[in-house]
Amino acid sequence: MPNPQLNQHGELQHLLTIEGLPCEVLTHILDTAASFLSISDREVKKVPLMRGKSVFNLFFENSTRTRTTFEIAAKRLSADVINLNIDASSASKGESLLDTIDNLRAMHADMFVVRHAQSGAPFLIAQHLNAHKQRYIHVVNAGDGRHAHPTQGLLDMFTIRHYKQDFSNLTVAIVGDVLHSRVARSDIHALKILGVPEVRVIGPRTLVSSHMEEMGIRLYTDMAQGLKDVDVIIMLRLQNERMNGALLPSAQEFFKNYGLTVERLAMAKPDAIVMHPGPMNRGVEIDSAVADGSQAVILSQVTYGIAVRMAVMSILAGN
Amino acid sequence: MPNPQLNQHGELQHLLTIEGLPCEVLTHILDTAASFLSISDREVKKVPLMRGKSVFNLFFENSTRTRTTFEIAAKRLSADVINLNIDASSASKGESLLDTIDNLRAMHADMFVVRHAQSGAPFLIAQHLNAHKQRYIHVVNAGDGRHAHPTQGLLDMFTIRHYKQDFSNLTVAIVGDVLHSRVARSDIHALKILGVPEVRVIGPRTLVSSHMEEMGIRLYTDMAQGLKDVDVIIMLRLQNERMNGALLPSAQEFFKNYGLTVERLAMAKPDAIVMHPGPMNRGVEIDSAVADGSQAVILSQVTYGIAVRMAVMSILAGN
Amino acid sequence: MPNPQLNQHGELQHLLTIEGLPCEVLTHILDTAASFLSISDREVKKVPLMRGKSVFNLFFENSTRTRTTFEIAAKRLSADVINLNIDASSASKGESLLDTIDNLRAMHADMFVVRHAQSGAPFLIAQHLNAHKQRYIHVVNAGDGRHAHPTQGLLDMFTIRHYKQDFSNLTVAIVGDVLHSRVARSDIHALKILGVPEVRVIGPRTLVSSHMEEMGIRLYTDMAQGLKDVDVIIMLRLQNERMNGALLPSAQEFFKNYGLTVERLAMAKPDAIVMHPGPMNRGVEIDSAVADGSQAVILSQVTYGIAVRMAVMSILAGN
């Protein structure tokens, strides 16, 4: 079965997941993003690459933050952006997801940026468009359920490459609720594809999956051991909704065991960088002294995120 | 009393209802829309006809779908669009409708696209503007109560003309809850003005009005008889809120009697087209086999809807 | 301590409050606004002064009306506008105010227009940006708690100057709930700075502060006395939420004592103008005969408000 993300020339048609993408496609996105980085510094922060294109932000799950990054990226590419916050429950009542998509493509949409609580929703949309030979319409997954968040994965790779240049000799640790994290999943796929030799996952036994070992990931339940000599630490956001379940005792307990403090950070290499996809729960997964410290590159991630999203959108629109 | 929609030169000043409009005005809109159709196919889907104009989408009744079509149309005309979703209840508390309008015209609004649960609200606004000699501000009715939905009526006419060329020898059937439908009302007026010789209405006795016979409409309560040899079938959306009242038994019962199935469609002419204003209730007013079948032109209606709204807005802005 | 609103050259860096601003800064804004007034009358209501700039409307307190005026002003300056309605309660849960700001500045925001229920929030943001030497990012206070609403104050001054030319021989009365009004506070500071010799405040004893006398304001509890021979009457909006407390008996009672009627207006100078920041409670603080009468300049305030906001934004962006 061909990769539904790639067209017959092997070019990116949709960005649904990092899994299965060729290394050159990832590298091309990162290189393009690098060229966009300077645009946001200019007096006039706009390029006309998507002038007159209609980009629909289809957010079936509310996320002001992610929606904003895509809206800025699209506007800096001169696209027309239409925001649609669709309450998933009312959507299911009135009209099916694919009827909504068919309507919007009949309005000559050029791109759908899709956020959905259900894993696979962007895939479903892309397959539907492919089946209808709508090859001028592109889908970007802006986060689907626990499945994938590929632009976050890409911006994390951009950040790592920026600070560490070379992927081929790094040790990267991902810390927290890896089991439920689409960010972790996208990061792990990207790190593997780009050739990172050692990827570690650190978290309580209930929040890491033993499947991961089959993927060549090393599991740690102890922070001191897991952080030893790593080059990159990716902290995950602890979802509040998981906190009061059987999986996790409490925020305080989590911080005691897995919160990133100055002391724990000292286990890593002296030039290790600290990343976080945001928004941070200060005092839960990360201590403020670390979050605001000199090794944190969390705000750089945000800046690079705009450039990476501009790169993804303009590459898709050009294919 | 002069038609408040027309200025002293007989040109369209506001689009409030299709009722009472001269045939040439309708034809001019359809012809203009035809010229806009190709713009949405272009690489850069924009024309500068409304550059620097301020279009306010005033939605006192929530409708993401209709709001989106006007937003796209306005942006493709290069207008600045400001969306205002005004909760009707809080609006009535704080400030009167006309105070809101006065405020926005003081901000030099150029156009109001108005959706309101109350029939006549766009008329009230237009009369208020006319009374204040604000003849450079235009009102487009985007649906008011049970009264009118003129851009839907126009896009339906555009669709019929596209597929059938000539109105003068057609039989058109409108099916469903005609009594409460502003779409049906606008369609009926447009069909009559454009010279369609036979307009039929099909629905349960509780949902069709005997007034219609006075308008020269033929009423049917039986689908088989009503659909016989028609050229065009316009299915209406069944409003869920009507379902649990005295007027209608249930969705299943409605589908049994008035749902458009492949068998029933076979009663119509072999080249009959099937229309629906959307969003569809599949399995209630229309079977999926028909909705996705070769005679359905429902997605074309959506495409033409953008061109028709661009035509209406640019004609108004030019008058 | 230097004024955090001014940069080292004494130019406006942020607009947080009118208090403490030099008279020349106010006059420069009013003069710039006068030059913008004609833009909104043009065929193409746009100038490219902020093309490619990213303006964030950060509304932690809902205000469709104020948000709209800033959105229009920014769009007429050709800026890209991103609206963020942030529910203050959920904001405090997820992420701190300053983390939100840091994220947005990492996206290369150029300007924050901030509305917040808490007094001082825009100050906090500006200090944070100044501390991080982010001198290319500007903050405009769009109303914070009971503290200040400087663009409203400025548009009120623009209106007074338009109708009365000279500030130096005026008597201005502010009527209503002065105690809780950020508009009143901003107006009083502006009137003093611009050299208005007599500023009066009229209201029930529970809603005026005796501190005001120290500022050289004359307090009146009686409308007839307070309005005698004034040139300008600024009516305040009565907040409904104050009505059912201990401070105020009822809307009817308030109107009886402090509502501006034709009879009361006759106490003022014959050419006195009547202002109101809107939205008006007709029949509570103002009678419709006055609101719609020849002395009311309430809609002019709205028109001038766009020009003043364009002036503030473009001056900040240029500094």
Side-chain angles (χ1 to χ4, degrees):
Chain A
M1 203 183 81
N3 190 325
Q5 304 190 89
L6 303 177
N7 67 18
Q8 70 269 43
H9 310 298
E11 298 166 330
L12 205 63
Q13 168 76 7
H14 308 291
L15 179 65
L16 307 174
T17 178
I18 287 173
E19 188 178 4
L21 284 184
C23 182
E24 311 82 70
V25 168
L26 296 200
T27 304
H28 178 47
I29 295 171
L30 300 186
D31 292 345
T32 308
S35 75
F36 279 126
L37 207 53
S38 65
I39 289 169
S40 294
D41 275 332
R42 285 194 212 161
E43 186 73 5
V44 174
K45 288 192 275 279
K46 275 177 112 81
V47 286
L49 285 170
M50 290 184 70
R51 206 167 77 77
K53 304 282 185 200
S54 299
V55 173
F56 287 81
N57 277 334
L58 288 183
F59 276 58
F60 295 91
E61 185 182 65
N62 192 38
S63 171
T64 303
R65 186 192 175 94
T66 301
R67 196 259 296 155
T68 300
T69 61
F70 278 102
E71 185 174 350
I72 294 170
K75 284 182 169 169
R76 292 197 182 148
L77 291 166
S78 305
D80 286 332
V81 182
I82 292 114
N83 290 318
L84 296 176
N85 295 316
I86 304 171
D87 183 0
S89 64
S90 83
S92 63
K93 257 192 296 178
E95 193 181 28
S96 81
L97 175 62
L98 296 181
D99 274 342
T100 301
I101 294 298
D102 280 341
N103 262 282
L104 295 173
R105 73 178 170 90
M107 296 176 200
H108 292 279
D110 295 285
M111 192 171 290
F112 296 122
V113 176
V114 181
R115 173 83 154 221
H116 206 292
Q118 231 166 313
S119 303
F123 252 102
L124 194 71
I125 294 170
Q127 280 177 329
H128 179 74
L129 294 171
N130 290 355
H132 284 77
K133 308 215 179 306
Q134 297 287 327
R135 59 176 73 92
Y136 299 109
I137 312 184
H138 307 279
V139 178
V140 180
N141 182 357
D144 63 328
R146 300 182 189 174
H147 174 243
H149 195 349
T151 57
Q152 179 72 43
L154 285 163
L155 76 88
D156 285 349
M157 296 310 111
F158 189 95
T159 306
I160 293 172
R161 193 173 79 163
H162 179 87
Y163 287 100
K164 299 292 169 192
Q165 280 79 49
D166 189 7
F167 290 103
S168 69
N169 51 5
L170 295 181
T171 301
V172 177
I174 304 174
V175 184
D177 180 2
V178 181
L179 188 64
H180 302 101
S181 170
R182 51 196 178 202
V183 174
R185 222 170 304 277
S186 287
D187 278 342
I188 289 170
H189 285 298
L191 291 165
K192 287 287 173 190
I193 292 167
L194 291 166
V196 170
E198 185 166 343
V199 179
R200 301 179 185 177
V201 148
I202 312 174
R205 212 171 291 280
T206 48
L207 298 181
V208 295
S209 159
S210 51
H211 291 318
M212 285 174 181
E213 287 192 308
E214 300 159 24
M215 294 173 68
I217 312 286
R218 299 180 62 174
L219 304 190
Y220 292 86
T221 53
D222 181 82
M223 277 290 263
Q225 290 171 24
L227 292 180
K228 190 158 167 28
D229 294 331
V230 301
D231 300 282
V232 176
I233 305 171
I234 301 175
M235 299 304 298
L236 299 176
R237 173 174 166 78
L238 199 65
Q239 308 292 327
N240 287 316
E241 55 270 31
R242 313 245 188 271
M243 227 87 93
N244 50 0
L247 297 175
L248 262 188
S250 72
Q252 289 75 18
E253 189 74 8
F254 184 84
F255 183 70
K256 212 183 87 189
N257 291 320
Y258 297 100
L260 189 61
T261 57
V262 172
E263 294 72 38
R264 283 184 177 139
L265 176 53
M267 315 279 186
K269 286 209 187 130
D271 63 347
I273 56 171
V274 175
M275 297 166 64
H276 191 294
M280 289 185 282
N281 296 305
R282 289 163 179 268
V284 179
E285 68 258 6
I286 191 165
D287 195 66
S288 275
V290 176
D292 303 328
S294 64
Q295 288 174 265
V297 298
I298 296 167
L299 292 179
S300 295
Q301 288 175 273
V302 176
T303 301
Y304 302 154
I306 303 294
V308 163
R309 286 175 180 117
M310 289 175 76
V312 167
M313 294 172 117
S314 65
I315 288 171
L316 289 174
N319 286 345
Chain B
M1 202 183 80
N3 189 324
Q5 305 190 88
L6 303 177
N7 67 17
Q8 69 268 43
H9 310 299
E11 298 166 331
L12 205 63
Q13 168 77 5
H14 308 290
L15 179 64
L16 307 174
T17 177
I18 288 174
E19 188 178 4
L21 285 184
C23 183
E24 312 83 69
V25 169
L26 296 200
T27 305
H28 177 48
I29 294 171
L30 301 185
D31 292 346
T32 308
S35 75
F36 278 126
L37 208 52
S38 65
I39 289 169
S40 295
D41 275 331
R42 284 193 212 161
E43 186 74 6
V44 175
K45 287 192 278 277
K46 277 179 109 84
V47 286
L49 285 169
M50 290 184 71
R51 207 167 76 79
K53 303 282 186 200
S54 299
V55 173
F56 287 80
N57 276 334
L58 288 183
F59 276 60
F60 295 90
E61 185 183 66
N62 191 39
S63 170
T64 303
R65 188 192 173 94
T66 302
R67 195 259 297 158
T68 300
T69 61
F70 278 102
E71 185 174 350
I72 293 170
K75 284 183 169 170
R76 292 196 182 150
L77 291 165
S78 306
D80 287 331
V81 183
I82 292 115
N83 290 317
L84 297 176
N85 295 317
I86 304 170
D87 184 359
S89 65
S90 83
S92 63
K93 257 193 296 178
E95 194 181 30
S96 82
L97 175 62
L98 296 181
D99 274 341
T100 301
I101 294 298
D102 280 341
N103 261 283
L104 295 174
R105 72 178 171 89
M107 297 176 200
H108 292 280
D110 294 284
M111 193 172 290
F112 296 122
V113 176
V114 181
R115 173 84 151 219
H116 207 291
Q118 231 167 313
S119 303
F123 252 102
L124 193 70
I125 294 170
Q127 279 177 329
H128 180 74
L129 294 172
N130 290 354
H132 285 76
K133 307 216 180 309
Q134 298 287 327
R135 59 176 72 92
Y136 299 108
I137 311 183
H138 307 280
V139 178
V140 180
N141 183 355
D144 63 326
R146 300 182 188 174
H147 173 243
H149 195 349
T151 57
Q152 179 72 43
L154 286 163
L155 76 88
D156 285 349
M157 297 310 111
F158 189 96
T159 306
I160 294 171
R161 193 173 80 163
H162 179 87
Y163 287 100
K164 299 293 171 191
Q165 279 81 48
D166 189 7
F167 290 103
S168 71
N169 51 8
L170 296 181
T171 302
V172 177
I174 303 174
V175 183
D177 180 2
V178 180
L179 188 64
H180 302 101
S181 170
R182 52 195 175 201
V183 174
R185 222 170 305 277
S186 287
D187 278 341
I188 289 169
H189 286 298
L191 292 165
K192 286 288 174 189
I193 293 167
L194 291 166
V196 169
E198 185 166 343
V199 180
R200 302 178 185 178
V201 147
I202 312 174
R205 212 170 291 279
T206 49
L207 298 181
V208 296
S209 157
S210 52
H211 291 318
M212 285 175 181
E213 286 191 309
E214 300 159 23
M215 293 173 68
I217 312 287
R218 299 181 62 175
L219 304 190
Y220 292 85
T221 54
D222 181 83
M223 277 290 263
Q225 290 172 23
L227 291 180
K228 191 160 168 25
D229 294 331
V230 302
D231 300 282
V232 175
I233 305 171
I234 300 175
M235 299 304 299
L236 299 175
R237 173 175 166 77
L238 199 65
Q239 308 292 328
N240 288 316
E241 55 269 33
R242 312 245 188 270
M243 226 86 94
N244 50 359
L247 297 174
L248 261 188
S250 72
Q252 289 75 17
E253 189 74 9
F254 184 85
F255 182 72
K256 212 183 87 187
N257 292 320
Y258 296 100
L260 189 62
T261 58
V262 171
E263 296 72 39
R264 283 183 177 139
L265 176 54
M267 314 280 186
K269 287 207 187 133
D271 64 348
I273 57 172
V274 175
M275 296 165 64
H276 191 293
M280 290 186 281
N281 297 305
R282 289 163 179 267
V284 179
E285 68 257 6
I286 192 165
D287 195 67
S288 275
V290 176
D292 303 327
S294 63
Q295 288 174 265
V297 298
I298 296 166
L299 291 179
S300 296
Q301 288 175 272
V302 176
T303 300
Y304 302 156
I306 303 293
V308 163
R309 286 175 179 118
M310 288 175 76
V312 167
M313 294 173 118
S314 64
I315 288 170
L316 289 174
N319 285 346
Chain C
M1 202 183 80
N3 190 325
Q5 305 190 89
L6 303 177
N7 66 17
Q8 70 268 44
H9 310 299
E11 298 166 332
L12 205 63
Q13 168 77 6
H14 308 291
L15 179 64
L16 307 175
T17 178
I18 287 174
E19 188 177 2
L21 285 183
C23 183
E24 311 83 70
V25 168
L26 296 199
T27 304
H28 178 48
I29 294 171
L30 301 185
D31 292 345
T32 308
S35 76
F36 279 126
L37 207 53
S38 65
I39 289 170
S40 294
D41 275 332
R42 286 194 211 160
E43 185 74 7
V44 174
K45 287 192 278 278
K46 275 178 112 81
V47 285
L49 285 170
M50 290 185 71
R51 207 166 76 78
K53 304 281 185 202
S54 298
V55 173
F56 286 80
N57 277 334
L58 287 184
F59 276 59
F60 295 89
E61 184 182 67
N62 191 38
S63 171
T64 303
R65 187 193 176 94
T66 302
R67 196 258 297 157
T68 300
T69 61
F70 278 101
E71 184 174 350
I72 293 171
K75 284 181 169 170
R76 291 195 183 150
L77 291 166
S78 304
D80 286 332
V81 183
I82 292 114
N83 290 317
L84 296 177
N85 295 316
I86 304 171
D87 184 1
S89 63
S90 83
S92 62
K93 255 192 298 177
E95 193 181 29
S96 82
L97 175 62
L98 296 182
D99 274 341
T100 301
I101 294 299
D102 281 340
N103 262 283
L104 295 174
R105 72 178 169 89
M107 296 176 200
H108 292 278
D110 295 285
M111 194 172 288
F112 296 122
V113 176
V114 181
R115 172 84 152 220
H116 206 290
Q118 232 167 312
S119 303
F123 252 102
L124 194 71
I125 294 170
Q127 279 176 330
H128 179 74
L129 293 172
N130 290 354
H132 285 76
K133 309 217 180 306
Q134 297 287 325
R135 60 176 72 92
Y136 298 108
I137 312 183
H138 306 279
V139 178
V140 180
N141 182 356
D144 63 327
R146 300 181 188 176
H147 173 243
H149 195 349
T151 57
Q152 180 71 43
L154 285 163
L155 75 88
D156 285 349
M157 296 311 111
F158 190 97
T159 307
I160 293 171
R161 191 173 81 162
H162 179 88
Y163 287 100
K164 299 293 170 193
Q165 281 80 47
D166 189 6
F167 290 103
S168 70
N169 51 6
L170 295 181
T171 302
V172 177
I174 304 175
V175 184
D177 179 2
V178 181
L179 188 65
H180 302 100
S181 170
R182 53 195 176 200
V183 174
R185 221 170 306 275
S186 288
D187 279 342
I188 289 170
H189 286 298
L191 292 165
K192 287 287 173 190
I193 292 167
L194 291 166
V196 169
E198 186 166 343
V199 179
R200 301 178 184 178
V201 147
I202 313 173
R205 211 169 292 277
T206 49
L207 298 180
V208 295
S209 158
S210 51
H211 291 318
M212 285 174 182
E213 286 191 311
E214 300 159 23
M215 294 173 67
I217 313 287
R218 300 182 61 175
L219 303 190
Y220 292 85
T221 54
D222 180 83
M223 277 290 263
Q225 290 172 22
L227 291 179
K228 190 159 168 29
D229 295 330
V230 301
D231 300 281
V232 175
I233 305 170
I234 300 176
M235 300 303 299
L236 299 175
R237 173 175 167 79
L238 199 64
Q239 308 292 326
N240 287 316
E241 55 269 32
R242 312 244 188 273
M243 226 87 92
N244 50 0
L247 297 175
L248 262 187
S250 71
Q252 290 74 19
E253 190 74 8
F254 184 86
F255 183 72
K256 213 184 87 188
N257 291 322
Y258 297 99
L260 189 62
T261 58
V262 172
E263 295 72 38
R264 284 185 175 139
L265 176 54
M267 315 280 186
K269 287 210 186 130
D271 63 348
I273 56 171
V274 175
M275 297 166 63
H276 191 293
M280 289 185 282
N281 296 305
R282 289 163 178 269
V284 178
E285 68 257 5
I286 192 165
D287 195 67
S288 276
V290 176
D292 303 327
S294 63
Q295 288 174 264
V297 298
I298 296 165
L299 291 179
S300 295
Q301 288 175 271
V302 176
T303 300
Y304 302 155
I306 303 293
V308 164
R309 286 175 179 118
M310 289 174 75
V312 168
M313 294 172 117
S314 64
I315 288 171
L316 289 174
N319 285 346

